Amino acid sequence: MENNTQIKFENFTFKYKSQQEPTLKDINFEAKKGEKIVIIGPSGSGKSTLAKAINSQIPNTFDGDITGKVSILDKDIRNSSIFDLSLLVGTVLQDTDGQFVGLTVAEDIAFSLENDNIDQDLMKDTVSKWADRLEISNLLAHKPNQISGGQKQRVSLAGVLVSDTPILLLDEPLANLDPASGLATMKLIDELNQKYNYTIIVIEHRLEEALNLNPDRILVVDEGQVLIDSTPSEILKSDILEKIGVRKPLYINALEYAGIGLSNIEHLGSFENTYLKQNELSLVKNWADNIEITNEDRKNNPILTAKELSFAYDKNNQILHDVKFSINKGEVVSIVGPNGAGKSTLAKLLCGFLRPTSGQIILNNRDTANLSIKEIAEKIGYVLQNPNAMISKTNIKEEVGFGLKLRGASDEEIEKKTEKVLKICGLYPFRNWPINALSYGQKRRVTIASILILNPEIIILDEPTAGQDYRHYTEIMEFIQKLNEEYDLTILMISHDMHLIQEYTQRTMVFADGTLLADTSPKELFSNVELLNHASLAETSLSKLARSIDYDPEEFIEKFISYERGKL
């Protein structure tokens, strides 16, 4: 009988040379040909180290102590070169930019074929075939940096698929994608599996979106160990996800709130693959009927206003057209839209880094055209998506106080204010740590602290939860919420994160093609499928659940949010 096992971990333990404790401990699991497996776990759980063992970066690139064994199609990773295993495992990285080597999309897809000295005509045919299958033929002449995140993901996939490797490994493929692109990526990988019988390993912490892959199994990893290896249904019915800080799909929260025993439901997975009986749907409807909606008072004290705001780098490159809005003091507003919609350009205009081509920005009743960048920065702080791009010092305390130092504050004032803001941000115990010893989430807090110390009235946050697991996501968002409530800070958040938009913001501005398409509430956004498509978001499982019980999605989502806020 043919051996169907393609990946096999046998009592595998691995300790990086630089660390005292093993990152992976006694791992056992197998992947059969054609299986789709999702590996989930919080940040630091060992997921990415597992990936490095599967594609043989361990031990070839990352040295360390190994006990036990990992075999890829019967090849032991300890006796195999990266080249040998690259013919068996195709890897798509979280950061697709780090994977591009060609000047054009076509060159990039052809790279591995060129390395294998494939005949040029065959190479062109192969590139053309996979570009066609992945619907990126129109991008072949483009430079990789000119295309969207979702398109980059497809190009990276094509660059792997041309080599016809039997195993596809995707390390956090959703981390830098908007929900619409993430959904399309998962469905595409599912189709590739069905068509070509690839073995698929997806490493993620965004479980609800990863379920669109329809995985056969989920491995739950925490603290370097496999806690459970089972079907999506069994894992969603257990309490393991809450224990390790990975969020369940929202529709499952709603079922539990309605008092439905998950153990009675035959199959759980993505909402489309879950069958609910009529009596279960009735329980959800009764639960929703009994929820009182708590309306928040709409603030009405404008602090920042845009009037007929337009911006163009040149006459052929109009980025924003005739944008009008008013932000009230103390509001928390999300700014959403696809890549290239003008969101980051708007943030740069509000901060004074760019100046409008026409129109006005009014800050505290003053036209910012008459203010310097320094004067605007005293009122508006901007926290970039990548914390590493904002950090210039090696020590936390120094970094947080640096802005005050530049403003000429005395050492005594810097010391006093730094201590206060470090305590607010939960960083005081780490004040003397080197920044490179911090996690990504802690670095985020450092960048927020370094802006907060300057006492702004408005903070703009670019993708504050990108690449964070649910535990760190919740910590950061509750911290931001506290800043808003206790200091009446006005907060604008550029985000694709649908949980963030729904749970933490009162108002959403939707941008597309340089125009403000809608200025609305999160509940209206998530119940309007057409608007979601424009914003590169995806319909949530809550909205789908509402439709299945003939409930108005907007009202159902509002009731769900009210119920969750009442629980906090």
Side-chain angles (χ1 to χ4, degrees), residues 323-564:
V323 172
K324 309 179 194 72
F325 61 81
S326 192
I327 305 289
N328 295 298
K329 183 166 177 56
E331 273 193 305
V332 183
V333 181
S334 46
I335 298 172
V336 305
N339 292 341
K343 307 185 298 294
S344 295
T345 300
L346 174 67
K348 289 170 186 169
L349 286 165
L350 297 178
C351 295
F353 304 152
L354 299 173
R355 297 293 181 166
T357 310
S358 61
Q360 290 176 295
I361 298 167
I362 309 296
L363 173 62
N364 284 331
N365 300 317
R366 294 180 69 187
D367 188 335
T368 59
N370 304 320
L371 300 175
S372 65
I373 288 182
K374 179 176 177 293
E375 287 171 310
I376 296 170
E378 285 169 2
K379 303 293 180 191
I380 301 178
Y382 186 21
V383 181
L384 300 176
Q385 179 175 345
N386 180 1
N388 297 316
M390 291 184 69
I391 290 167
S392 55
K393 298 291 175 187
T394 53
N395 166 282
I396 291 176
K397 201 169 165 186
E398 265 187 89
E399 177 64 35
V400 171
F402 188 53
L404 281 181
K405 190 174 183 180
L406 289 177
R407 289 187 180 179
S410 67
D411 289 348
E412 189 183 349
E413 185 188 357
I414 293 170
E415 182 70 29
K416 188 177 168 187
K417 287 188 172 176
T418 300
E419 186 174 314
K420 183 184 175 187
V421 84
L422 285 169
K423 284 177 178 171
I424 292 169
C425 297
L427 290 166
Y428 189 70
F430 315 111
R431 61 195 177 279
N432 296 316
W433 280 31
I435 286 175
N436 62 10
L438 298 183
S439 70
Y440 190 84
Q442 288 168 324
K443 284 181 184 175
R444 269 257 185 242
R445 287 183 179 225
V446 170
T447 57
I448 293 171
S450 64
I451 295 293
L452 201 61
I453 200 169
L454 304 175
N455 203 25
E457 294 181 38
I458 300 166
I459 288 188
I460 301 172
L461 297 152
D462 195 351
E463 294 285 2
T465 56
Q468 307 227 27
D469 63 34
Y470 184 53
R471 186 179 288 149
H472 291 116
Y473 157 97
T474 305
E475 279 177 15
I476 278 209
M477 289 317 303
E478 287 180 354
F479 164 58
I480 289 167
Q481 197 172 34
K482 178 179 147 193
L483 294 180
N484 168 253
E485 289 166 1
E486 294 184 13
Y487 301 92
D488 206 24
L489 258 182
T490 306
I491 296 172
L492 307 182
M493 288 187 273
I494 299 170
S495 186
H496 286 127
D497 187 324
M498 300 200 292
H499 293 155
L500 176 155
I501 296 159
Q502 188 167 284
E503 291 176 34
Y504 293 100
T505 68
Q506 301 124 7
R507 179 177 160 200
T508 301
M509 299 199 299
V510 182
F511 282 81
D513 300 322
T515 61
L516 178 55
L517 206 62
D519 185 345
T520 185
S521 65
K523 61 185 181 185
E524 157 62 22
L525 169 65
F526 286 113
S527 59
N528 185 329
V529 175
E530 192 182 341
L531 200 52
L532 285 171
N533 289 339
H534 278 301
S536 282
L537 299 173
E539 188 176 14
T540 65
S541 57
L542 279 185
S543 175
K544 290 170 185 172
L545 178 59
R547 292 183 202 283
S548 73
I549 57 171
D550 295 324
Y551 223 90
D552 172 46
E554 185 175 338
E555 187 182 354
F556 186 81
I557 289 167
E558 187 173 18
K559 288 189 169 194
F560 180 88
I561 294 169
S562 281
Y563 184 85
E564 286 224 314

Side-chain angles (χ1 to χ4, degrees), residues 29 37-41 47 50 54 201-204 219 221:
F29 88 92
I37 298 174
V38 171
I39 300 176
I40 61 165
K47 303 188 302 295
L50 263 175
I54 292 169
I201 308 289
V202 170
I203 292 174
E204 256 307 330
L219 260 67
V221 179

Side-chain angles (χ1 to χ4, degrees), residues 204-434:
E204 256 307 330
H205 58 242
R206 282 164 61 172
L207 176 60
E208 179 155 9
E209 287 156 276
L211 286 171
N212 290 307
L213 178 67
N214 297 324
D216 300 299
R217 286 158 52 207
I218 294 176
L219 260 67
V220 180
V221 179
D222 193 27
E223 295 183 354
Q225 295 175 296
V226 176
L227 303 185
I228 295 187
D229 174 358
S230 190
T231 62
S233 194
E234 289 308 308
I235 281 164
L236 291 170
K237 288 176 185 181
S238 76
D239 62 355
I240 192 72
L241 297 175
E242 286 99 327
K243 283 181 177 172
I244 65 164
V246 170
R247 178 152 202 166
K248 284 183 177 178
L250 289 176
Y251 85 91
I252 290 194
N253 292 123
L255 297 180
E256 289 181 312
Y257 298 157
I260 295 168
L262 298 180
S263 58
N264 300 324
I265 298 171
E266 195 173 320
H267 178 85
L268 290 174
S270 63
F271 183 76
E272 287 79 358
N273 291 323
T274 298
Y275 174 72
L276 297 171
K277 299 186 185 102
Q278 199 51 53
N279 66 312
E280 289 160 344
L281 293 172
S282 299
L283 281 170
V284 175
K285 190 173 187 307
N286 292 341
W287 167 75
D289 284 339
N290 287 319
I291 293 171
E292 293 289 322
I293 292 171
T294 52
N295 286 315
E296 296 182 3
D297 296 332
R298 181 74 187 256
K299 300 172 190 286
N300 189 18
N301 179 15
I303 186 173
L304 184 67
T305 302
K307 297 182 175 180
E308 288 84 34
L309 186 65
S310 294
F311 177 78
Y313 286 104
D314 57 61
K315 62 183 180 191
N316 300 318
N317 193 8
Q318 186 83 12
I319 308 295
L320 287 174
H321 319 258
D322 197 27
V323 172
K324 309 179 194 72
F325 61 81
S326 192
I327 305 289
N328 295 298
K329 183 166 177 56
E331 273 193 305
V332 183
V333 181
S334 46
I335 298 172
V336 305
N339 292 341
K343 307 185 298 294
S344 295
T345 300
L346 174 67
K348 289 170 186 169
L349 286 165
L350 297 178
C351 295
F353 304 152
L354 299 173
R355 297 293 181 166
T357 310
S358 61
Q360 290 176 295
I361 298 167
I362 309 296
L363 173 62
N364 284 331
N365 300 317
R366 294 180 69 187
D367 188 335
T368 59
N370 304 320
L371 300 175
S372 65
I373 288 182
K374 179 176 177 293
E375 287 171 310
I376 296 170
E378 285 169 2
K379 303 293 180 191
I380 301 178
Y382 186 21
V383 181
L384 300 176
Q385 179 175 345
N386 180 1
N388 297 316
M390 291 184 69
I391 290 167
S392 55
K393 298 291 175 187
T394 53
N395 166 282
I396 291 176
K397 201 169 165 186
E398 265 187 89
E399 177 64 35
V400 171
F402 188 53
L404 281 181
K405 190 174 183 180
L406 289 177
R407 289 187 180 179
S410 67
D411 289 348
E412 189 183 349
E413 185 188 357
I414 293 170
E415 182 70 29
K416 188 177 168 187
K417 287 188 172 176
T418 300
E419 186 174 314
K420 183 184 175 187
V421 84
L422 285 169
K423 284 177 178 171
I424 292 169
C425 297
L427 290 166
Y428 189 70
F430 315 111
R431 61 195 177 279
N432 296 316
W433 280 31

